[in-house]
């Protein structure tokens, strides 16, 4: 694949033939395959598909003194230092990536969104730690702190039935605050994306994940919160640029 291919266009074309790279950075709409290699990018579904270095089989770098590429399309060679790997993540300082051979996977037939609400960030972190230790993480799992959680709630689209939506929201809040004793100013949520080829596979993933989260007081938050929280990651890029018009500058950082 030539390195100028934009992520969203590449994903759309591969989907037509039932394939995917599985690499979905939050900049997917604007970033290119060559950019992913040059910045050693990480995607939101790395739990299943890996980061860009796990997906790339071979790539070509044009340097001032010649073209650098591996002699054959294999994932790794055990002899000698991995010189080509030095170019991955060099951000263009060692040359320009022009062509990439990537490993493709079958497009998942089933995708289910979910979410888990925790009393506070500490409980959420403890749950994430055990999820990683047990090894039952789904395609994507992200823990949002209270501020980002409130931010996501504030960005809810206008409901088709506002009265019903407000009633449901009031009932949910009453259950969490009055019955479960969770403070609105402390609560946080994890957004989940489950992917697989069969319903049975998805159900097994959900069972294991929710079982671990329940040990740390996690309460199912439903698919709508999961879907909204997942796409909030993409929305942040737009809000950042929008804020520039009002002399407001922000940036997002991730710690893994």
């Amino acid at each position: 694949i030539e390195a100028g291919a934009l992520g969203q266009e590449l994903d759309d074309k591969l989907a037509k033939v039932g394939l995917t790279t599985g690499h979905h950075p939050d900049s997917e709409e604007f970033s290119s395959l060559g950019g992913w290699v040059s910045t050693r990018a990480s995607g939101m579904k790395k739990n299943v598909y890996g980061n860009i270095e796990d997906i790339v089989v071979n790539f070509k770098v044009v340097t001032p003194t010649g073209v650098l590429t591996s002699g054959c399309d294999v994932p790794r060679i055990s002899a000698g230092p991995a010189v080509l790997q030095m170019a991955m993540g060099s951000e263009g300082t060692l040359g320009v990536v022009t062509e990439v051979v990537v490993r493709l996977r079958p497009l998942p037939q089933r995708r289910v969104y979910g979410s888990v609400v925790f009393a506070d960030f500490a409980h959420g972190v403890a749950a994430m730690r055990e999820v990683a230790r047990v090894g039952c993480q789904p395609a994507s799992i992200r823990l949002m702190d209270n501020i980002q959680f409130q931010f996501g709630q504030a960005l809810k689209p206008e409901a088709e039935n506002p009265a019903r939506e407000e009633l449901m929201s009031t009932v949910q809040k009453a259950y969490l605050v009055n019955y479960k004793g969770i403070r609105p100013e402390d609560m946080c949520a994890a957004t989940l994306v489950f992917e697989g080829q069969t319903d049975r596979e998805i159900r097994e993933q959900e069972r294991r994940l929710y079982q671990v989260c329940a040990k740390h007081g996690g309460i199912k938050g439903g698919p709508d919160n999961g879907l909204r929280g997942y796409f909030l990651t993409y929305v942040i890029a737009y809000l950042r640029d929008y804020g520039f018009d009002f002399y407001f500058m922000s940036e997002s950082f991730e710690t893994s």
Side-chain angles (χ1 to χ4, degrees):
I1 301 171
E2 292 185 345
L6 293 179
Q8 188 62 64
E9 293 178 1
L10 175 58
D11 196 53
D12 291 343
K13 288 181 178 180
L14 288 173
K16 291 179 180 178
V17 291
L19 296 170
T20 180
T21 62
H23 188 69
H24 299 283
D26 51 18
S27 61
E28 181 179 14
E29 187 178 350
F30 309 104
S31 56
S32 66
L33 177 58
W36 298 344
V37 175
S38 295
T39 57
R40 204 175 179 86
S42 179
M44 291 196 284
K45 296 178 182 177
K46 71 178 185 62
N47 294 336
V48 172
Y49 302 99
N51 291 311
I52 192 64
E53 65 269 22
D54 304 306
I55 297 168
V56 168
V57 174
N58 192 8
F59 62 100
K60 187 181 293 183
V61 183
V62 177
T63 77
T65 58
V67 177
L68 178 66
T69 187
S70 173
C72 53
D73 291 335
V74 292
R76 69 186 299 272
I77 299 173
S78 59
V83 178
L84 200 60
Q85 290 295 317
M86 293 170 58
M88 188 177 289
S90 63
E91 309 219 359
T93 59
L94 301 180
V96 178
V97 177
T98 60
E99 196 175 289
V100 188
V101 178
V102 294
R103 181 183 292 108
L104 300 178
R105 302 276 288 273
L107 195 68
Q109 298 301 305
R110 295 282 290 115
R111 178 180 296 122
V112 173
Y113 294 91
S115 62
V116 182
V117 177
F118 294 98
D120 52 46
F121 196 65
H123 281 82
V125 170
M128 297 303 103
R129 181 180 177 85
E130 186 169 350
V131 165
R133 184 183 65 79
V134 174
C136 64
Q137 54 266 59
S140 177
I141 177 168
R142 287 185 159 213
L143 181 65
M144 299 187 291
D145 64 14
N146 182 260
I147 293 176
Q148 190 176 359
F149 177 68
Q150 291 187 50
F151 184 41
Q153 295 298 307
L155 290 176
K156 279 185 178 180
E158 188 173 340
E160 294 181 6
N161 188 336
R164 180 180 180 278
E165 183 74 20
E166 186 175 351
L167 176 62
M168 291 299 294
S169 179
T170 302
V171 171
Q172 289 173 346
K173 287 178 182 176
Y175 173 74
L176 292 173
V177 175
N178 300 330
Y179 183 71
K180 288 293 186 177
I182 296 177
R183 290 154 43 99
E185 62 270 24
D186 293 329
M187 72 168 63
C188 67
T191 59
L192 314 167
V193 181
F194 301 93
E195 287 189 347
Q197 300 301 334
T198 64
D199 290 335
R200 182 177 180 181
E201 186 181 347
I202 297 291
R203 286 195 299 269
E204 179 59 21
Q205 290 181 40
E206 290 180 301
R207 184 189 66 78
R208 296 184 65 198
L209 191 282
Y210 289 128
Q211 196 173 57
V212 170
C213 290
K215 293 180 182 178
H216 300 275
I219 303 168
K220 283 186 181 182
D224 290 344
N225 286 327
L227 178 63
R228 187 165 51 249
Y230 181 76
F231 284 100
L232 175 62
T233 308
Y234 293 100
V235 171
I236 288 174
Y238 288 94
L239 293 176
R240 178 186 59 196
D241 294 343
Y242 178 71
F244 288 157
D245 295 336
F246 299 90
Y247 308 100
F248 184 91
M249 187 171 70
S250 63
E251 187 52 275
S252 62
F253 296 88
E254 267 187 81
T255 302
S256 176

